[in-house]
Amino acid sequence: MNSLQNNIPAPNAPASPASDRLYRLTDVERVVSLKKSKIYALIKLQQFPRQRKIDGASRWVASEIDQWVSER
C-alpha cells in the first residue's frame, strides 16, 4: 500500500470502512464522473469535499466522496 494511503481519517468523518481510504484525483474523477476543472470549481463554491494535502499531494477522503455521490 502506498505510504500516502495510511489510516488518515478526516476530522469529524463518520466511522466507516471507507473513512480510512484516500482517493487520488484520477480516482475522484472516475467515481464522480467529473473532470478536474469541474471538481476544483465545485470545491471553490464549497459544493464538493475539499482535498487534503499529504506530502504535497492532494488526496480526498473516500467516505466524503462516497457521501457526496449518494447525495446527488
Side-chain angles (χ1 to χ4, degrees), residues 2-69:
N2 187 327
S3 64
L4 295 177
Q5 293 177 322
N6 291 336
N7 297 327
I8 304 172
N12 302 321
S16 72
S19 66
D20 296 354
R21 294 192 335 248
L22 297 173
Y23 285 152
R24 295 177 180 195
L25 178 60
T26 55
D27 300 323
V28 175
E29 288 177 317
R30 179 180 42 80
V31 170
V32 302
S33 299
L34 297 172
K35 293 293 183 186
K36 174 182 175 177
S37 58
K38 183 64 173 178
I39 291 168
Y40 281 106
L42 290 172
I43 290 170
K44 187 174 182 178
L45 295 170
Q46 299 180 345
Q47 297 176 2
F48 194 84
R50 200 167 264 300
Q51 75 275 26
R52 310 301 199 277
K53 288 289 188 176
I54 301 173
D55 293 333
S58 292
R59 297 290 183 261
W60 284 260
V61 177
S63 61
E64 293 177 3
I65 299 303
D66 296 342
Q67 180 180 353
W68 185 89
V69 169

